[in-house]
Amino acid sequence: MGESVAAHSGCLIFTQPYMPTQYRVECAPGTFLNRWGLFNPILPSASGRGFKSSSFGPISLFMANTTLHDRALIRLSGEDVRGFLQGLVTNETAGNLPVWAALLTAQGKALFDFLIWGDEDDILIDCERDAAEALAKRLTLYRLRRAITIAPEPGLAVHWAPEGDLGVVDPRLPELGQRWLAPDGEGEGADAAWHAHRLALGVTEGRAELGDGTTLWLECNAAELNGVSFTKGCYVGQENTARMNWRQKVNRRLVVVPIAEADTKRQVVAYPELGWSVEHRRVEGIDVAGAPAWLREGLAAGS
């Protein structure tokens, strides 16, 4: 699975064996792909000790088959944005990013799920495009008088590939593939391929599947998919989430089952064109042997 790199008139041409197209990256001298999957130029630090990545530079990136057009980015900048989110969301924001996390109701039910990326002192929230405005408004309510700006980031897009070397491994599950942030790509995008790939692995996301304040976060398989920290301090919905984990009793789970095995009474959403049904089932009604490997231990503990 290697990648080949060739230089042409100041440009780099990246080719990946699993993709039918070439990635053409036109960049200023010193541009690099940093560890967050962001294409940034390198500039000397103010102190002269080493280097730091600046804001996004003069880069023209064409990745027509990797852009997730159904995703949007919200940028948080200003006073201690990591600390601000640390007291709101389910996962650690002070450590390594990206992480998968959620904003919950006081009862511990999922309102929004998203990935959190770091860009120097700023935070970028990778969320559903249809939910971006509502999420930004909710975060603004919690901001109060903090000197924090919460706004869309139109200059970047979320990119995905099922495998390869670009970006970083999805923090939920390695099999989900590679993810990175870069300028938008023209063309159809990768949304359909991502949707089918994710459901085939039994992973749910978004309000259509997780519900809008109707499903407890641990019932969304958050513990198994690295979407919650049980060692961080308080956040909205933490009390009930921590209590469920301490009791090791998650009575229901979101599962993806073949459409032929669908239970319409438990169905949350169906994808007949893909052959899958997302359902909210009691644990005793789930076939553990037929569940994804990453979920089996959690199901066994809750049965």
Side-chain angles (χ1 to χ4, degrees):
M1 290 306 301
E3 101 181 344
S4 61
V5 182
H8 296 274
S9 303
C11 299
L12 291 179
I13 305 297
F14 291 83
T15 59
Q16 290 285 350
Y18 61 86
M19 297 296 288
T21 58
Q22 288 183 320
Y23 301 134
R24 182 180 178 88
V25 183
E26 299 180 2
C27 51
T31 301
F32 78 122
L33 177 65
N34 71 17
R35 65 189 178 91
W36 297 292
L38 303 170
F39 287 86
N40 288 0
I42 299 179
L43 297 175
S45 66
S47 66
R49 294 174 297 181
F51 294 85
K52 66 177 182 179
S53 59
S54 78
S55 298
F56 300 92
I59 299 158
S60 181
L61 181 65
F62 301 94
M63 295 186 177
N65 293 325
T66 63
T67 304
L68 295 180
H69 296 295
D70 288 344
R71 305 294 291 184
L73 290 163
I74 301 171
R75 181 178 289 275
L76 280 67
S77 57
E79 179 186 319
D80 188 21
V81 291
R82 288 195 181 217
F84 167 64
L85 283 183
Q86 182 75 358
L88 292 178
V89 304
T90 60
N91 220 331
E92 291 281 356
T93 61
N96 292 330
L97 300 177
V99 295
W100 186 49
L103 188 61
L104 309 181
T105 68
Q107 294 75 36
K109 296 181 178 181
L111 288 172
F112 305 94
D113 74 300
F114 39 79
L115 277 80
I116 301 173
W117 300 75
D119 179 25
E120 300 235 342
D121 293 332
D122 290 1
I123 287 289
L124 289 164
I125 295 180
D126 162 2
C127 64
E128 285 183 282
R129 183 170 298 279
D130 290 346
E133 183 178 356
L135 174 56
K137 287 182 178 179
R138 177 67 64 129
L139 292 172
T140 300
L141 289 175
Y142 287 116
R143 180 184 59 185
L144 300 177
R145 296 189 178 185
R146 292 182 180 90
I148 293 175
T149 300
I150 302 170
E153 174 49 82
L156 292 170
V158 180
H159 292 259
W160 168 80
E163 55 188 353
D165 300 321
L166 288 177
V168 297
V169 174
D170 194 299
R172 289 167 286 187
L173 191 70
E175 291 82 358
L176 284 172
Q178 304 292 120
R179 204 175 184 99
W180 67 96
L181 308 181
D184 199 353
E186 300 175 355
E188 183 177 346
D191 297 282
W194 160 249
H195 194 54
H197 182 75
R198 175 178 60 78
L199 288 170
L201 291 169
V203 176
T204 55
E205 71 175 15
R207 293 190 295 181
E209 296 170 13
L210 308 187
D212 184 3
T214 57
T215 312
L216 292 164
W217 186 229
L218 295 190
E219 294 178 348
C220 302
N221 308 311
E224 291 75 19
L225 293 172
N226 305 310
V228 60
S229 169
F230 296 112
T231 59
K232 64 175 287 185
C234 294
Y235 56 87
V236 179
Q238 185 260 354
E239 184 176 357
N240 199 32
T241 304
R243 184 184 301 114
M244 288 178 66
N245 179 65
W246 182 75
R247 291 178 176 175
Q248 288 291 295
K249 195 66 175 176
V250 181
N251 294 322
R252 294 176 176 83
R253 295 277 190 165
L254 282 177
V255 290
V256 182
V257 300
I259 198 76
E261 301 173 11
D263 181 346
T264 55
K265 293 182 179 179
R266 307 291 179 225
Q267 191 173 78
V268 177
V269 60
Y271 301 104
E273 71 283 5
L274 297 174
W276 297 111
S277 174
V278 176
E279 303 186 3
H280 191 206
R281 292 187 177 187
R282 293 194 64 87
V283 169
E284 57 266 28
I286 299 172
D287 176 16
V288 176
W294 59 263
L295 183 56
R296 289 173 197 157
E297 183 177 347
L299 289 174
S303 59

